Amino acid sequence: MNTTVFTRTDTLGEFSLRPVDPPADAPLLHAWVTHPKAVFWLMQDCDLPAVEKEFTRIDADPFHDAFLGLHNGTPAFLMERYDPAHRELVGVHAAEPGDVGMHFLTAPTATPLHGFTRAVITTVMEALFADPATRRIVVEPDARNTAVHALNKAVGFEVVRTVSLPSKDAHLSTCTRDQFLATQGDPR
């Protein structure tokens, strides 16, 4: 279960992804998703068994995956990938072939590293676009989450519209491979 599925290196070090191991990773993920910083994950009141149950559910779902992100070998972020034709946005977004949904969360820290969250979302985007079948990444962050809206825009996301989901009003946003590459200095 601890097999690395993606790795990239930048000026802040090595970033890698491996599948979440629900029983082993639940205590760490519980600390992250119940932290005040993770309020938009809507898991603030979850106990440890509930977090393990949620990630076990994701692990068993053929349309949803969770990955633990490592920075220089240390757990530092979480990424979820889902099929928007089957999860999260069913009935709200007309998913096209090659659409991939995504969530990410950086771990709380007492010693923030300048540029870290940008490096994390870049890692997530590169990992998703490493699959040639991925044509567009779709996200639905809470409309009140201004920090992630700025970050999403910085890596090429465009807001399509605001949508009402069962747990939030969200800015449905998309980013094509070309839009992402344009923010990375790609000469194409």
Side-chain angles (χ1 to χ4, degrees):
M1 195 64 140
N2 289 326
T3 304
T4 300
V5 295
F6 182 81
T7 301
R8 71 177 278 275
T9 302
D10 74 10
T11 58
L12 295 181
E14 183 180 271
F15 292 82
S16 58
L17 294 165
R18 67 158 175 83
V20 164
D21 178 345
D25 295 331
L28 177 67
L29 296 175
H30 176 260
W32 292 1
V33 299
T34 59
H35 189 275
K37 175 183 178 244
V39 67
F40 294 113
W41 277 68
L42 305 173
M43 297 182 79
Q44 298 290 288
D45 297 326
C46 289
D47 60 12
L48 179 58
V51 171
E52 183 175 345
K53 181 179 179 182
E54 175 62 8
F55 284 96
T56 299
R57 182 195 64 75
I58 290 169
D59 189 47
D61 188 329
F63 301 109
H64 199 163
D65 302 295
F67 300 89
L68 191 68
L70 305 148
H71 176 236
N72 295 328
T74 301
F77 62 101
L78 173 66
M79 178 188 97
E80 291 183 13
R81 171 183 66 195
Y82 67 90
D83 182 341
H86 298 277
R87 299 292 173 266
E88 304 288 330
L89 295 169
V90 175
V92 175
H93 167 68
E96 298 176 7
D99 278 2
V100 175
M102 176 272 286
H103 301 131
F104 81 98
L105 175 69
T106 56
T109 181
T111 54
L113 182 60
H114 180 72
F116 182 76
T117 306
R118 175 71 183 258
V120 166
I121 196 171
T122 299
T123 299
V124 166
M125 299 291 283
E126 285 185 13
L128 294 172
F129 281 128
D131 179 348
T134 300
R135 295 183 52 231
R136 183 171 68 167
I137 299 172
V138 181
V139 294
E140 41 21 86
D142 192 294
R144 299 166 296 166
N145 192 346
T146 56
V148 84
H149 300 313
L151 191 60
N152 285 346
K153 184 176 181 178
V155 295
F157 280 95
E158 291 183 354
V159 176
V160 175
R161 68 184 185 280
T162 300
V163 296
S164 292
L165 300 175
S167 60
K168 63 186 176 185
D169 285 336
H171 287 319
L172 176 66
S173 305
T174 61
C175 181
T176 65
R177 185 183 307 272
D178 287 342
Q179 287 171 308
F180 171 65
L181 291 174
T183 68
Q184 304 301 301
D186 185 74
R188 289 196 283 169

